[in-house]
Amino acid sequence: MRSLLAGSLLAIVLLARAAPSPECAHRVKESIPPPRGWDKVRPAPANHTIELRIGLQRPNVHNLEQHLLEVSDPFHPRYGQHLSKAEVEALIEPHPISSQLVDDWLASHEISEEQITRTPGKDWVKIKVPVALAEKMLETEYHIWTHLESGDSLVRTTSYSLPDYLMDHVDLVQPTTLFARFRGMKTTLHFSTERTAITDTNPGTISVPTASGGQVNASCNSTVTPSCLLDLYNAAGYEPAAAGQNKIAVTGYLEEYANYEDFHLFNEALVPAAANSNFSVVYVNGGLNNQTPSEAGAEANLDTQYAFGLTYPTPGTFYTTGGSPPFIPDDGDTQNYNEPYAEWLDYVLNSTDLPQTISTSYGDDEQTVPYSYATRVCSDFAQLGALGVSILFSSGDGGVGDGDPDPATQECYSNDGTNKTMFIPGFPASCPYVTAVGGTAYIPEVAANFSGGGFSNYFSRPSYQDAAVANFLATLPAGTYEGLYNPNGRAYPDVSAQSENFEIYWDAEAYLVAGTSCSSPTFAGFVSLLNDARIANGLSPLGFLNPLIYALGTNGTSGFNDITEGNNPGCGTEGFNATIGWDAVTGWGTPNFGVLKQIVLGNLSDFLA
């Protein structure tokens, strides 16, 4: 009792010493050089509204990550024993002193409790304020910045400060230095007026020993459909048995809408059993799902048609999240433009009924995301993994370059003011707590030349990757691309799947699309089927996949089809080569569902010995 009382008195003393005052000195919290490719146009309108997100320090986040690795490690006795929502929130809750100091700071600027929104873990505090007040609070100046290539505009600053007494209690404040544009990962869109012209080509079959029945229809070499993927990845004939419990979801941003009529046409043509099915829509942060045919999004249609077509009758959910940071503000525009990805994370981390598998086909260059923000978001993915959710991301469409699928127009320079030539990793694919999915093409499969892959400059290589990545680096001739990448960084992609010539329906017509936007919902579909098999047999969902994936690959199981041909050029180079085992183009390769199902339903130690 005496110890508890002493601790309470100490907290009171600390708070008293740190009480805010109007004259309290500020220190720079974060500062970046003017970002490449952006032009500072003019001061931001003083009355423009910004939603500031204040990230309080999470003193126990390292414990969260330790729990995640234990419940995801197939060698650990806790494997599959995922945490509850309450347990996760307890691990990311800030210290009460941090919360109190931030509240006092806000009160000193006449921001009342009614104006504050907090996440369930209390680690994010959100307030809506005019630019003029944000500038005063952060001792900064906001400007309108325009992206020279696209014309998109943002209200941002390149430096901000906090009172001295908050420096050890606040991790970051955004939007300030975040210049990410958050784009979809699709490279091409080809028009075809007749569906039969797409699908009825290349008669005959192709021998693929790992496929269902040992062969795949030859038409799949020019047009990929759900039946092609089920055959190629050895899942033909599998009937989901836990559709009442197992769920799959895809995310939509930037006014990408999933069209119901296109979904029905796709199913009628390519998944007849699902002809009368539909998907659920969850609206986040004012998101919409406009059903005007001309408003349909090729990205959203692709994601829903393949993730849900492959897994029917597993319930599918489309998250449509409002907010689009790029805009053209003027003095009369006071609308708040939130960061859509952060809003989605807030929503799902507050949910009590999460899908077991979620695919996202959006991202940006890692260097456009401040390190503080990237690490914060990455730990949010760790929360989802600890809850038993498998999170998959497209690895990107620029090879080792900056996301531009045309290597000739890529700009491969650092964004830190030095303009150093370098490979450009993508984010969130570079987060070690997500599964990044690269791309393949053709049958037999080779690496798609746009498949994003490489090494993070922010995140160190996790231990689950050590053996596989060391083996890959040993295959590179001495000095290969020296200085262009970080060989000690988190390496990606982790796996891959087909990513070219996918037939989708868009605006009531058949089209072919390509990109790792295709591979992520595809791989997610097979993960969902594995989750179905486990749940139907009374087992937990797979959750965070990477420790299991790397354990299987390192131990030489045949759960993946190794891709050994192709490369991912970019930045004026040929990029990395696909090779035996893990590589920085296709990861461990593409899934063999039949083998993986046998593994995840059996005694894992039998396969990992």
Side-chain angles (χ1 to χ4, degrees):
M1 179 68 181
R2 182 175 298 173
S3 174
L4 180 62
L5 179 60
S8 299
L9 289 173
L10 176 61
I12 293 171
V13 170
L14 288 173
L15 280 170
R17 288 178 178 175
S21 68
E23 293 78 26
C24 184
H26 280 56
R27 277 191 287 148
V28 173
K29 182 66 175 178
E30 191 166 29
S31 181
I32 64 170
R36 285 184 58 86
W38 290 85
D39 183 32
K40 185 164 69 173
V41 178
R42 61 187 177 90
N47 64 342
H48 176 75
T49 300
I50 294 177
E51 182 175 68
L52 290 181
R53 300 175 59 88
I54 304 163
L56 279 63
Q57 284 198 357
R58 300 160 163 172
N60 295 314
V61 72
H62 60 285
N63 292 330
L64 166 69
E65 293 163 354
Q66 182 62 36
H67 281 287
L68 170 66
L69 292 176
E70 289 181 0
V71 302
S72 307
D73 181 355
F75 295 105
H76 200 281
R78 290 184 64 198
Y79 179 71
Q81 299 175 26
H82 300 115
L83 278 62
S84 68
K85 182 174 180 287
E87 289 171 331
V88 168
E89 289 171 359
L91 289 167
I92 53 91
E93 187 171 354
H95 194 283
I97 293 177
S98 300
S99 299
Q100 185 62 60
L101 288 174
V102 168
D103 286 354
D104 291 346
W105 174 54
L106 298 178
S108 74
H109 289 281
E110 300 182 352
I111 297 171
S112 66
E113 178 64 29
E114 291 72 25
Q115 296 172 276
I116 299 172
T117 303
R118 306 175 199 275
T119 52
K122 303 177 183 177
D123 53 328
W124 284 106
V125 172
K126 297 186 287 184
I127 55 170
K128 293 181 180 180
V129 295
V131 161
L133 179 53
E135 291 180 331
K136 180 180 178 182
M137 294 172 65
L138 303 175
E139 287 198 352
T140 190
E141 293 180 356
Y142 278 90
H143 284 79
I144 297 170
W145 294 77
T146 297
H147 190 249
L148 297 177
E149 181 182 349
S150 67
D152 292 341
S153 292
L154 297 170
V155 170
R156 294 292 187 270
T157 182
T158 56
S159 179
Y160 69 95
S161 301
L162 288 174
D164 274 336
Y165 64 86
L166 289 181
M167 294 297 284
D168 294 331
H169 297 275
V170 171
D171 281 338
L172 75 164
V173 180
Q174 290 291 350
T176 49
T177 57
L178 176 63
F179 282 82
R181 294 176 52 240
F182 199 56
R183 54 184 176 266
M185 302 296 180
K186 60 180 184 297
T187 63
T188 55
L189 184 64
H190 309 295
F191 178 71
S192 173
T193 56
E194 295 184 20
R195 181 175 56 81
T196 53
I198 295 178
T199 56
D200 296 343
T201 58
N202 297 344
T205 60
I206 301 171
S207 175
V208 181
T210 57
S212 298
Q215 60 186 20
V216 177
N217 193 299
S219 66
C220 298
N221 222 340
S222 57
T223 302
V224 174
T225 65
S227 60
C228 289
L229 295 167
L230 292 169
D231 284 340
L232 179 61
Y233 296 144
N234 194 19
Y238 179 78
E239 296 288 341
Q245 300 169 272
N246 188 40
K247 303 180 182 69
I248 184 172
V250 298
T251 62
Y253 305 93
L254 310 181
E255 299 177 347
E256 277 277 340
Y257 305 137
N259 187 270
Y260 298 128
E261 182 60 27
D262 289 337
F263 184 74
H264 295 148
L265 290 173
F266 174 85
N267 285 332
E268 287 173 1
L270 303 178
V271 192
N276 296 318
S277 69
N278 215 330
F279 54 88
S280 300
V281 179
V282 173
Y283 303 88
V284 180
N285 188 43
L288 302 172
N289 196 36
N290 192 328
Q291 292 301 296
T292 303
S294 61
E295 295 293 322
E299 180 81 68
N301 278 4
L302 164 65
D303 291 341
T304 52
Q305 289 169 16
Y306 276 84
F308 307 156
L310 287 168
T311 57
Y312 175 79
T314 302
T317 297
F318 174 62
Y319 289 104
T320 175
T321 302
S324 178
F327 72 111
I328 308 297
D330 56 41
D331 290 333
D333 185 356
T334 61
Q335 182 177 353
N336 177 55
Y337 289 82
N338 297 323
E339 303 303 331
Y341 204 70
E343 295 294 335
W344 178 79
L345 277 169
D346 287 350
Y347 180 88
V348 294
L349 288 172
N350 192 33
S351 299
T352 56
D353 185 23
L354 286 170
Q356 292 87 347
T357 310
I358 303 176
S359 172
T360 298
S361 296
Y362 297 77
D364 206 347
D365 303 339
E366 183 183 72
Q367 66 175 352
T368 68
V369 183
Y371 174 77
S372 60
Y373 189 77
T375 54
R376 185 82 176 195
V377 169
C378 193
S379 68
D380 286 345
F381 294 131
Q383 293 182 59
L384 287 171
L387 291 167
V389 180
S390 299
I391 302 293
L392 298 101
F393 272 88
S394 301
S395 71
D397 290 350
V400 295
D402 68 351
D404 185 338
D406 183 356
T409 57
Q410 289 179 353
E411 292 203 4
C412 300
Y413 304 101
S414 65
N415 210 23
D416 59 3
T418 66
N419 292 334
K420 173 187 173 183
T421 302
M422 58 183 278
F423 292 164
I424 308 295
F427 181 82
S430 66
C431 169
Y433 301 127
V434 307
T435 300
V437 186
T440 63
Y442 310 121
I443 303 169
E445 293 183 274
V446 300
N449 63 3
F450 50 75
S451 181
F455 300 81
S456 173
N457 291 318
Y458 284 178
F459 303 100
S460 60
R461 183 196 307 158
S463 59
Y464 62 75
Q465 286 195 314
D466 280 342
V469 176
N471 288 339
F472 171 73
L473 293 174
T475 69
L476 302 179
T480 301
Y481 304 144
E482 186 173 355
L484 294 180
Y485 71 98
N486 172 23
N488 299 310
R490 184 284 206 256
Y492 73 98
D494 304 296
V495 291
S496 53
Q498 284 277 316
S499 59
E500 289 200 28
N501 297 324
F502 272 50
E503 182 176 353
I504 69 166
Y505 274 74
W506 182 41
D507 198 13
E509 297 283 357
Y511 288 76
L512 296 183
V513 295
T516 52
S517 275
C518 302
S519 56
S520 185
T522 292
F523 199 94
F526 289 96
V527 171
S528 183
L529 294 179
L530 293 172
N531 276 332
D532 175 88
R534 282 181 61 88
I535 292 169
N537 282 272
L539 300 171
S540 64
L542 292 168
F544 176 44
L545 298 168
N546 293 5
L548 174 62
I549 289 171
Y550 283 82
L552 293 174
T554 303
N555 282 270
T557 71
S558 56
F560 300 97
N561 307 312
D562 196 6
I563 311 302
T564 59
E565 294 186 23
N567 59 299
N568 58 350
C571 301
T573 75
E574 292 301 306
F576 296 108
N577 289 322
T579 189
I580 295 172
W582 183 91
D583 57 67
V585 191
T586 61
W588 286 107
T590 59
N592 183 325
F593 173 78
V595 173
L596 289 171
K597 179 169 72 74
Q598 181 183 5
I599 291 170
V600 301
L601 291 182
N603 186 342
L604 289 175
S605 61
D606 293 340
F607 297 94
L608 300 174

